[in-house]
Amino acid sequence: MAGVVHVDDILDVVQKETTEDFHKMAPVVSLGTSLKKASVGLLYRKRIAWLLVLVFMNVFSGAGIAAFEDTIAASIVLVFFLPLLVDSGGNAGSQAATLMIRSMALGDVKIKDWLKMFTKEISVSFFLGLTMAAGVALLGAYRGGTEIAIIVAVTMVLVVMLGSLIGMSLPFILNKLKMDPAAASAPLITSIADICGVLIYFSVATWILGL
């Protein structure tokens, strides 16, 4: 035999790969050492880059809100539902991404399966959004009447569907670009879903309210 591979060596590799995947999904650049031993400076350098990227991405959410000042002024109750709706899209996207990344890691899903998975996700996310919309519509009716109920219900379906489709598609895109699908991190997906969610919400509100 040319050599012996011990179980401990295999477990070390598995542990290292799993740790790297968790860091990418945080997102955090790999530390290269244990968290306990890492210095303040090292932790700062490994975390600041992604946080700055996400900050500047969230600027677009703010710009989207500013673009619909007239709509917000016409019905201030819309602001109450904004965090609920955009967070729902991000949460749905993170769920879809996590399921897809794990399936790709296990070899259960391949690049060629994208269209099949995309089609399936459309149906799944539609029913998820519809169920969530039913609950939020009741709250919308209570807080602002029928028009607000319709606005938040329609938006919920759209943001959950879009967030889910973004979440399941990003791992495929990154894989195609020869990048690790684990880099399709929850914060990245959430930031993209937030921007889209703001635009969808206030566009729907503007249309239904006739502004």
Side-chain angles (χ1 to χ4, degrees):
M1 295 178 63
V4 177
V5 178
H6 296 286
V7 173
D8 289 345
D9 295 330
I10 297 174
L11 292 177
D12 286 342
V13 172
V14 171
Q15 183 182 49
K16 182 179 179 181
E17 291 296 322
T18 303
T19 299
E20 288 180 356
D21 286 346
F22 271 107
H23 284 164
K24 288 174 181 175
M25 294 182 72
V28 176
V29 179
S30 182
L31 298 177
T33 185
S34 69
L35 180 61
K36 186 177 180 179
K37 294 179 180 178
S39 66
V40 171
L42 176 62
L43 291 173
Y44 169 81
R45 292 193 302 274
K46 296 298 184 179
R47 295 170 62 178
I48 190 61
W50 262 112
L51 288 175
L52 286 175
V53 169
L54 295 174
V55 163
F56 285 109
M57 286 186 67
N58 288 329
V59 167
F60 291 101
S61 295
I65 295 173
F68 290 96
E69 286 182 353
D70 292 340
T71 302
I72 296 171
S75 184
I76 196 66
V77 71
L78 292 171
V79 176
F80 175 81
F81 295 96
L82 181 58
L84 182 155
L85 292 168
V86 297
D87 285 352
S88 295
N91 291 337
S94 297
Q95 270 191 345
T98 300
L99 291 171
M100 199 56 57
I101 290 169
R102 186 57 180 165
S103 295
M104 293 175 77
L106 294 174
D108 183 45
V109 175
K110 308 290 185 182
I111 286 289
K112 64 180 181 180
D113 299 319
W114 177 81
L115 183 58
K116 179 180 180 180
M117 300 307 300
F118 188 85
T119 304
K120 181 183 290 187
E121 191 63 31
I122 289 175
S123 299
V124 173
S125 61
F126 173 73
F127 289 118
L128 289 173
L130 206 60
T131 304
M132 297 166 73
V136 79
L138 294 176
L139 184 57
Y142 172 74
R143 295 282 301 189
T146 303
E147 283 188 329
I148 299 300
I150 294 173
I151 290 169
V152 296
V154 171
T155 301
M156 179 62 82
V157 174
L158 294 177
V159 298
V160 169
M161 289 186 69
L162 183 62
S164 298
L165 294 173
I166 290 172
M168 65 79 52
S169 296
L170 271 180
F172 283 97
I173 294 171
L174 293 174
N175 192 303
K176 190 70 175 177
L177 296 174
K178 308 301 181 183
M179 297 172 65
D180 192 333
S185 59
L188 178 59
I189 293 168
T190 300
S191 295
I192 296 173
D194 283 356
I195 296 168
C196 296
V198 167
L199 297 176
I200 290 172
Y201 181 37
F202 289 119
S203 294
V204 170
T206 302
W207 173 56
I208 292 178
L209 294 176
L211 300 173

